[in-house]
Amino acid sequence: MPLLGGIRPPIAVLCVLILTLAGLTAKVLGPTKDMVAPKAVLSSQQHFAEDGAIALRASIDERVTDLERTATALSAGRPVKPERILSDLGRTYQKWTGTTVLDLESGDVLAERGESIPLLWLDRDVLTGERALTPRMVRLETGDVRLMTTAVLDWKDRPQQLLIASSSLSVPAINLGPFRTMAVVAEDGEVLGTAGFEQAEALNSDQERQELAFLQKQMSLLSDQAAARSEQHPVRAKEPGSRGYPGVSGTLVGGEYNGRVATAGYASLASSNPEEKQSVAAGLGLTVVALLPVVQQQTGEQNRELYGLAAAGILVVLGLLAVGVLWATVQRPLLRLFLESRRLARGDLIRPVTVPRWGEAARIGSALERLRRQLGGDGDGSDTALRKGIRVGGRGPLALTAALLLLWCVPVGLLLNRTDGSVSVPTTMVNDQRDRTDLIADRLRRALNEAQTDLVSTSRLIGADDREDTTRLLQDALGRHTRYQAVYVVDADGEVRARAGAEPHAWSRGKELPLVRVSGKGGNEPVIQAGAPVPERKGSTLVGEIRVEFLNSLLARPGLGEVRVVDSAGLTIAASDGFLAFEKLPPNALTDLVRAAGVRVGAGPVENGLLIREGDGVTVAAAAPFSGGGVTADIGWTVVSWQDAERFQIAPYEREDRSVLAGMLGLAAIIFCLGWIYLVVVRPLRALAAGAEKLADGDLKTVLYPRYQDEVGAVVRSLELLRQQAQAHRHNQARRPAEPRPSVGGR
């Protein structure tokens, strides 16, 4: 009998799967491996470091782009004095610690503002070759590190000039929240800048100073580890098929002090999208490390090992009962039929057939006994007693087996370790939701400020009357900045004098209207406009319409849930997921949260976090209004985010997920093994029972073909032999009356 066919393999596989599932149940539903902090807290630190890396990358790239764009625009116009170049640059952008204009022919410094920039790092490699004019990190005599950005001013019939701007590699000006610190780390692990550490002189006790020294030491050690790990290739550093942050990121766990463990997330600077061109900042080899001391969690799972063992034991008991049912009702009768049919096929017709009590096996056994009587000459085998039996087919044992196993799968998957609205969520998760939402709000505010600043810079290059030159300038600005969908100049009467891109919308005038505004209410999409007055044209304004998709891309961050930008009335302007223009927020609690965040406290509104418990669900939400400098500081927008706590990798939800997984695995084992038995044994057995009864009723013409090389196929082969014997037996009986009888005596 083949080992892979018949009734034995699926039952054996079911036994193996049940034992395996029992072992997994004892493991995964028992006590988990002790961790110093929940996985959700560690993942949150990783996401925070990624957000910081994105903010730093955007800041560095924007500085480089602004300087290059300014140099290109100046080179395209009339020559400008170096002092005026630096004056206009400082008025438009407040992001550099020092600026210098250098004559490349003579090497003389033509103008200088702010921090004095050393020039010893300038050599042939900086000005020529493949890496010419790329940003460089330079160490000052004070020990500080500065990022040097260069651009060439090139006018016709005049010597080339080099515009140099220095900026610090400090941590982005973002809200770190309580107890968190952040550092910018070089390739060799050197900490270039930190934020969040308190000054030792401001502390009141030696214990606080010792803790500060501990955290500073942990930051140094973890920064070395993060820099070493960041040297990996971004693709090889991730699991196959995983997406998310395009650079290298991860988590680290440091030492413990006074009951708190140092946890850190790190992220290397990378392009915002792998398909985009390489970021300038991504080539500097910088890494952002976010450090947060968290209270070491208490597992409280001393008795959970017994729960896992009890669930595994119940599964083994029910599995043994299920296998016993299959053995007694399917396997044993089938094997008995196989032996009885083979005996009859060999010609042993003396001993009666042992007929099973019910089901298809009983029908086949009755047919075999009738055939035995027909072949043995004991009658035609039509005794009605042989036809008696319970008409329950082979599907009955399968249903009973499934019911026994479902007695374990359903309670484990649907009832065991279920959570409700009383689940304890770490305070760190609420704080991180609030701080990361504030970071997104700050990033969005800066992006809008940069958009308006770009318009200011472009507006100064617009001449008085030349329409063709203005159109070319607008087309060039639109091509350089993907954030705009249209750029146009409107005069004092609101008429468009030059345009580039999509069809422009009306620009409303008014002293109280902000330079960045939303129009187009009632349309299919909000129209976000930014404006800047044109100095050479009195009453004219350069307007840029910002794409909503650009804002949506700034909101999408992993581990933050759904993020939306709403105006002062709570209407949606942009969202990380799909949204309807100017729709309201879903739950009432979010609307109240946005309203509370907009209340001025001290200097202005502040971000706010909230844990919402409704029924059996728990939601973590946060709202961060626009605050800070720039033209968008008082625009009245708020960034709100929320996500279900079920997404967090904390112990209660992980146990619930494991229970559901165990129940689903048990259900899969039931479907696989019992479906196997039904297709390979039960269904062919039903067809065999019908064929055997027809054969016993006298149908000797229908040939029985074995389709399977297993017990059912063996019974079919035996029945075919019995059919042939019965056919021969009938033929012999038909010939006997026609044969002449021998004569007795004589005449």
Side-chain angles (χ1 to χ4, degrees):
M1 196 65 57
L3 295 177
L4 297 180
I7 185 61
R8 295 178 181 137
I11 294 180
V13 170
L14 181 61
C15 292
V16 173
L17 291 179
I18 289 175
L19 293 177
T20 303
L21 183 58
L24 290 175
T25 301
K27 181 177 179 58
V28 301
L29 296 186
T32 57
K33 181 181 179 181
D34 292 338
M35 297 187 65
V36 296
K39 294 179 182 178
V41 175
L42 296 177
S43 298
S44 183
Q45 307 320 308
Q46 178 180 349
H47 294 322
F48 208 99
E50 293 171 356
D51 293 343
I54 291 173
L56 181 60
R57 176 195 58 78
S59 176
I60 294 176
D61 286 346
E62 195 66 42
R63 297 174 202 172
V64 176
T65 302
D66 290 340
L67 194 69
E68 292 177 348
R69 183 175 58 253
T70 301
T72 302
L74 290 172
S75 299
R78 295 187 300 271
V80 182
K81 292 183 179 181
E83 292 82 2
R84 183 179 174 182
I85 293 175
L86 300 186
S87 177
D88 291 344
L89 199 64
R91 245 190 344 262
T92 306
Y93 303 103
Q94 295 84 30
K95 57 180 65 175
W96 290 296
T97 58
T99 52
T100 298
V101 177
L102 180 69
D103 190 319
L104 286 177
E105 185 176 335
S106 63
D108 296 334
V109 176
L110 303 180
E112 187 175 17
R113 282 188 177 242
E115 182 181 60
S116 179
I117 297 178
L119 301 178
L120 294 178
W121 56 277
L122 281 172
D123 54 19
R124 184 180 297 274
D125 294 336
V126 176
L127 302 176
T128 60
E130 295 180 357
R131 300 187 68 249
L133 302 180
T134 56
R136 307 291 176 98
M137 289 190 295
V138 177
R139 187 176 297 279
L140 305 181
E141 295 181 357
T142 59
D144 296 331
V145 176
R146 294 288 186 266
L147 178 66
M148 300 296 177
T149 308
T150 56
V152 174
L153 300 172
D154 189 8
W155 288 291
K156 187 178 180 180
D157 300 330
R158 296 192 64 174
Q160 289 183 329
Q161 299 175 2
L162 185 66
L163 178 59
I164 308 173
S166 69
S167 55
S168 62
L169 288 170
S170 58
V171 174
I174 59 178
N175 183 14
L176 299 177
F179 311 116
R180 181 181 283 107
T181 54
M182 186 174 283
V184 179
V185 184
E187 288 180 314
D188 58 356
E190 179 186 3
V191 178
L192 303 179
T194 60
F197 285 116
E198 298 185 33
Q199 297 294 328
E201 297 80 6
L203 300 178
N204 299 323
S205 64
D206 293 338
Q207 183 177 358
E208 292 178 345
R209 297 186 183 94
Q210 291 176 1
E211 185 173 1
L212 175 62
F214 164 76
L215 293 176
Q216 291 174 338
K217 182 179 179 181
Q218 290 298 310
M219 176 63 82
S220 178
L221 294 175
L222 296 177
S223 296
D224 288 336
Q225 299 179 28
R229 296 192 180 188
S230 296
E231 293 180 357
Q232 305 176 75
H233 192 278
V235 176
R236 300 191 189 97
K238 296 183 177 63
E239 303 219 352
S242 64
R243 297 184 180 180
Y245 186 68
V248 180
S249 63
T251 59
L252 297 168
V253 178
E256 183 266 340
Y257 179 82
N258 197 22
R260 295 200 298 173
V261 180
T263 62
Y266 65 90
S268 64
L269 270 63
S271 298
S272 58
N273 191 320
E275 298 179 357
E276 294 181 2
K277 63 180 181 179
Q278 184 67 22
S279 167
V280 174
L284 299 175
L286 300 177
T287 302
V288 173
V289 179
L291 175 68
L292 179 70
V294 298
V295 178
Q296 188 168 2
Q297 69 172 0
Q298 302 294 329
T299 59
E301 296 184 345
Q302 291 81 3
N303 298 326
R304 192 155 296 280
E305 182 176 1
L306 298 178
Y307 298 155
L309 292 176
I314 294 174
L315 175 59
V316 171
V317 172
L318 293 176
L320 291 177
L321 290 175
V323 171
V325 169
L326 293 177
W327 178 82
T329 60
V330 180
Q331 177 176 329
R332 186 178 179 186
L334 180 58
L335 294 178
R336 182 175 296 173
L337 288 177
F338 161 68
L339 296 176
E340 293 288 353
S341 63
R342 187 173 63 174
R343 176 174 65 84
L344 296 181
R346 290 176 179 175
D348 185 1
L349 305 176
I350 300 175
R351 181 160 48 90
V353 175
T354 303
V355 180
R357 296 183 179 180
W358 55 273
E360 286 84 1
R363 294 167 57 190
I364 297 172
S366 299
L368 288 175
E369 176 61 19
R370 292 164 60 193
L371 288 173
R372 184 192 70 82
R373 291 189 178 188
Q374 293 174 12
L375 294 174
D378 296 337
D380 59 358
S382 60
D383 189 355
T384 56
L386 296 176
R387 299 174 180 266
K388 293 180 180 180
I390 303 176
R391 287 286 180 174
V392 178
R395 289 176 291 189
L398 296 185
L400 180 58
T401 302
L404 288 173
L405 295 178
L406 287 175
L407 286 177
W408 184 87
C409 296
V410 173
V412 168
L414 300 180
L415 302 178
L416 187 63
N417 292 326
R418 301 304 295 177
T419 57
D420 53 22
S422 62
V423 173
S424 176
V425 178
T427 307
T428 304
M429 301 307 301
V430 182
N431 295 336
D432 287 353
Q433 185 82 12
R434 178 196 63 210
D435 297 337
R436 293 188 64 202
T437 303
D438 181 67
L439 192 152
I440 296 295
D442 182 77
R443 182 184 174 195
L444 188 62
R445 178 186 62 83
R446 290 175 181 271
L448 293 174
N449 286 341
E450 287 287 348
Q452 198 274 337
T453 303
D454 291 338
L455 294 175
V456 172
S457 178
T458 304
S459 67
R460 293 176 179 174
L461 303 176
I462 298 177
D465 299 320
D466 196 340
R467 185 166 185 172
E468 293 183 0
D469 290 345
T470 302
T471 302
R472 284 196 296 268
L473 183 64
L474 297 182
Q475 291 175 347
D476 180 70
L478 186 65
R480 289 176 177 271
H481 302 286
T482 58
R483 62 169 68 101
Y484 301 116
Q485 66 183 7
V487 182
Y488 46 93
V489 177
V490 296
D491 59 14
D493 297 329
E495 295 185 5
V496 177
R497 294 300 180 182
R499 58 179 285 261
E503 188 68 24
H505 293 77
W507 171 261
S508 302
R509 294 184 175 276
K511 295 182 179 180
E512 298 181 356
L513 293 177
L515 292 176
V516 178
R517 65 187 70 166
V518 179
S519 61
K521 288 190 176 182
N524 296 327
E525 185 176 280
V527 178
I528 304 169
Q529 297 174 316
V534 180
E536 298 293 334
R537 300 183 184 182
K538 186 176 182 180
S540 296
T541 305
L542 175 62
V543 181
E545 293 184 3
I546 301 173
R547 296 186 301 112
V548 177
E549 294 80 10
F550 169 74
L551 301 183
N552 294 342
S553 65
L554 299 178
L555 302 178
R557 290 298 302 134
L560 202 55
E562 187 170 353
V563 186
R564 291 193 184 186
V565 180
V566 297
D567 59 12
S568 56
L571 304 179
T572 303
I573 299 172
S576 59
D577 298 327
F579 72 102
L580 297 176
F582 305 108
E583 68 174 329
K584 295 184 178 180
L585 293 173
N588 294 330
L590 294 179
T591 304
D592 296 337
L593 179 62
V594 172
R595 188 181 298 111
V599 176
R600 288 189 170 271
V601 178
V606 295
E607 71 282 356
N608 207 340
L610 186 65
L611 192 65
I612 304 173
R613 300 183 185 272
E614 294 180 348
D616 293 338
V618 181
T619 303
V620 178
F626 276 25
S627 60
V631 296
T632 58
D634 299 326
I635 196 174
W637 289 7
T638 302
V639 177
V640 57
S641 67
W642 69 93
Q643 61 178 324
D644 292 336
E646 293 180 353
R647 300 182 181 181
F648 296 157
Q649 292 177 300
I650 56 179
Y653 292 119
E654 287 185 334
R655 287 196 295 266
E656 181 179 10
D657 293 341
R658 295 192 195 112
S659 299
V660 173
L661 178 60
M664 293 180 66
L665 289 176
L667 183 61
I670 294 173
I671 295 174
F672 175 72
C673 293
L674 299 189
W676 185 0
I677 294 174
Y678 176 77
L679 293 176
V680 174
V681 177
V682 174
R683 191 168 67 174
L685 204 60
R686 290 169 61 86
L688 176 59
E693 289 178 338
K694 288 182 180 180
L695 178 60
D697 290 336
D699 183 8
L700 302 180
K701 295 182 179 181
T702 303
V703 180
L704 301 176
Y705 296 99
R707 297 183 179 180
Y708 305 97
Q709 300 297 321
D710 54 12
E711 294 91 347
V712 177
V715 175
V716 173
R717 287 193 295 271
S718 299
L719 282 174
E720 172 60 20
L721 294 176
L722 292 175
R723 185 192 69 82
Q724 296 174 7
Q725 294 176 15
Q727 198 174 38
H729 180 72
R730 178 180 295 181
H731 182 67
N732 292 334
Q733 285 183 341
R735 291 180 56 188
R736 284 177 185 175
E739 292 180 356
R741 295 184 180 181
S743 59
V744 181
R747 286 181 175 248

